[in-house]
DNA sequence: GCAAAAGTGTTACCCTTACACCCATGT
DNA sequence: ACATGGGTGTAAGGGTAACACTTTTGC
């Protein structure tokens, strides 16, 4: 960082944009809002908004997540994706946007408590191929999907697409939707249950989905992340 | 992105910071500049500077790379790392910084054409353990090193630490320095030469380093990236 | 009983690892 | 001749992929 004249630095507008991914109806979907004003009026866009001047970047992402999607941080995985700042990406003024990747389970009440006038889940494939998103959001979405696909290979993030308690079959369905492939149920089961630190048995089983009762798992061992002090 | 009042958005100062890594003397080193003014006067910091109001983010990183380190984009690998924007990360005002990761070969003229008053290569290990970098630059450096170590596992980026033409032994030395491990020369050779699209033989050999002449390779096949139109 | 999904066993294959061994140069 | 690093051969072990088979439910 170099010296500077505190009265002469150029001012930038700063936003956060959210790539909120989930698995619905067996396919990867993204949460989009419809723009009510120009530019790109009527077009679909990623949810997002301006960062407040005393607000942490992650806090801004969490706030927009709550305001525009009704999701809470406890429910989802949130990580920084990248920052987009081409000079003309917003035709009105210089806006730099820090994009965040959110992986969310399929929610019982889709997009509850939404701030935006019109928000809905849309299939990622059709959205990207139609090329009709506002601003550079198609590029951001593409990067987010690529990141999600890559991270599922070397992390336990796939569980972020599942509910609190889930079966191995439900987890496999999430992977199949994100990657667009079919996985062998037997080998997938052995792999995820055999990887230490990935799944934790709850001791409970379920028959939702039919067939033989399946063990329910959680993604992390709650005992390893105790709720701070307990008394 | 939501609606906004174009006269009411909060203004942010925007900088780029560079994590420039190289391998020197068999260890991973980072390029640091010494701050001449408060705050953190006299402390080491990452090179960087303000983004101009009509400048692309990557262009700002490339400009700072040239101004502060004398490196050209042709010589190095450059990728966005992450964006840091904690409200008090700069005690004077709200500054958000887009950090970039640069992987550079060990240069014959170290840090030529430097803009900063005092710049030098410093071992990463000692720098991180001393905890004396300005601002949140220790955190940025730590993230950059982690990214570099991770990417070497599933990409051919290790060659970014080598000169234009290099031997398998030189490439192995780069991996050993970044990871801090010893690799079996025989198996390493088989692996990198056997991975399609990683190395391209030049047909030339060298005896620098002693021993039997070693084949010289380049990282990419120039024929696959033709200089646009040629005829 | 039958369909459906869960879960186990088994085997072939591939990639990694460890290390014996040979090659081609400088001194 | 010898040291030095380059490069090949080979065999053991671990993980993956393919698939036969058993288990336990709902209907």
């Amino acid at each position: 960082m170099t010296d500077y004249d505190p009265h002469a630095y150029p001012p930038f507008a700063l936003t956060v944009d959210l790539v909120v991914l989930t698995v619905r109806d067996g396919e990867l979907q993204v949460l989009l809002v419809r723009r009510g004003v120009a530019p790109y009026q009527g077009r679909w866009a990623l949810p997002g908004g301006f960062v407040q001047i005393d607000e942490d970047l992650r806090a801004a992402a969490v706030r927009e997540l709550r305001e525009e999607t009704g999701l809470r941080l406890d429910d989802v995985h949130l990580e920084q994706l990248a920052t987009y700042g081409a000079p003309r990406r917003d035709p009105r003024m210089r806006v730099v946007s820090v994009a965040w990747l959110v992986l969310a389970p399929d929610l019982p009440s889709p997009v509850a408590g939404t701030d935006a006038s019109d928000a809905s889940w849309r299939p990622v494939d059709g959205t990207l191929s139609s090329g009709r998103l506002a601003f550079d959001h198609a590029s951001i979405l593409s990067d987010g999907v690529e990141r999600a696909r890559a991270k599922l290979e070397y992390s336990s993030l796939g569980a972020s697409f599942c509910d609190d308690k889930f079966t191995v079959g439900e987890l496999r369905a999430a992977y199949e939707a994100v990657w667009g492939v079919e996985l062998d149920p037997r080998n997938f089961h052995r792999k995820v249950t055999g990887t230490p630190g990935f799944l934790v048995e709850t001791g409970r089983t379920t028959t939702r989905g039919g067939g033989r009762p399946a063990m329910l798992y959680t993604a992390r061992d709650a005992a390893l992340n105790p709720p701070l002090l307990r008394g």
Side-chain angles (χ1 to χ4, degrees), chain A:
Chain A
M1 187 160 303
T2 49
D3 312 339
Y4 71 107
D5 175 350
H7 300 292
Y9 67 88
F12 288 78
L14 193 66
T15 61
V16 289
D17 283 319
L18 303 177
V19 177
V20 186
L21 300 179
T22 195
V23 173
R24 283 169 63 92
D25 308 326
E27 64 180 354
L28 188 63
Q29 303 203 359
V30 59
L31 185 68
L32 298 179
V33 297
R34 196 186 287 276
R35 286 184 57 79
V37 298
Y40 300 103
Q41 185 168 11
R43 295 276 273 280
W44 292 102
L46 299 175
F50 284 95
V51 181
Q52 296 167 9
I53 196 61
D54 278 321
E55 187 179 35
D56 184 68
L57 298 180
R58 172 175 289 269
V62 171
R63 176 176 54 75
E64 290 293 341
L65 184 68
R66 177 170 41 75
E67 289 179 3
E68 295 216 42
T69 75
L71 289 169
R72 298 186 318 168
L73 190 54
D74 311 321
D75 303 327
V76 304
H77 169 82
L78 173 71
E79 68 177 51
Q80 196 184 111
L81 179 56
T83 297
Y84 300 80
R88 299 281 167 196
R89 62 181 292 277
D90 187 317
R92 299 161 299 185
M93 55 194 253
R94 187 68 196 270
V95 180
V96 170
S97 182
V98 181
W100 296 78
L101 178 63
V102 177
L103 306 186
D106 186 5
L107 302 157
S109 55
V111 199
T114 298
D115 193 30
S117 56
D118 193 0
S120 71
W121 296 105
R122 305 270 300 190
V124 163
D125 285 346
T127 299
L128 280 177
S129 58
S130 77
R132 294 208 150 275
L133 288 188
F135 304 105
D136 53 0
H137 288 187
S139 175
I140 300 175
L141 172 58
S142 176
D143 291 347
V145 170
E146 186 184 347
R147 169 83 66 90
R149 285 185 175 138
K151 282 206 108 172
L152 256 60
E153 289 201 10
Y154 59 91
S155 73
S156 58
L157 273 184
S160 303
F161 290 116
C162 297
D163 291 324
D164 176 46
K165 293 183 180 62
F166 55 89
T167 69
V168 172
E170 291 162 358
L171 181 62
R172 175 171 47 85
Y175 276 81
E176 291 176 332
V178 173
W179 287 341
V181 298
E182 284 209 347
L183 301 171
D184 185 289
R186 291 82 55 111
N187 293 333
F188 184 86
H189 184 278
R190 211 190 334 260
K191 181 159 184 175
V192 295
T193 56
T195 301
F198 195 161
L199 298 181
V200 182
E201 282 195 15
T202 63
R204 304 174 63 92
T205 59
T206 183
T207 58
R208 68 185 183 224
R212 167 175 165 181
M215 176 64 67
L216 282 167
Y217 295 88
T218 57
R220 299 171 194 291
D221 189 346
L224 295 178
N225 294 334
L228 300 175
L229 299 172
R230 197 187 302 243

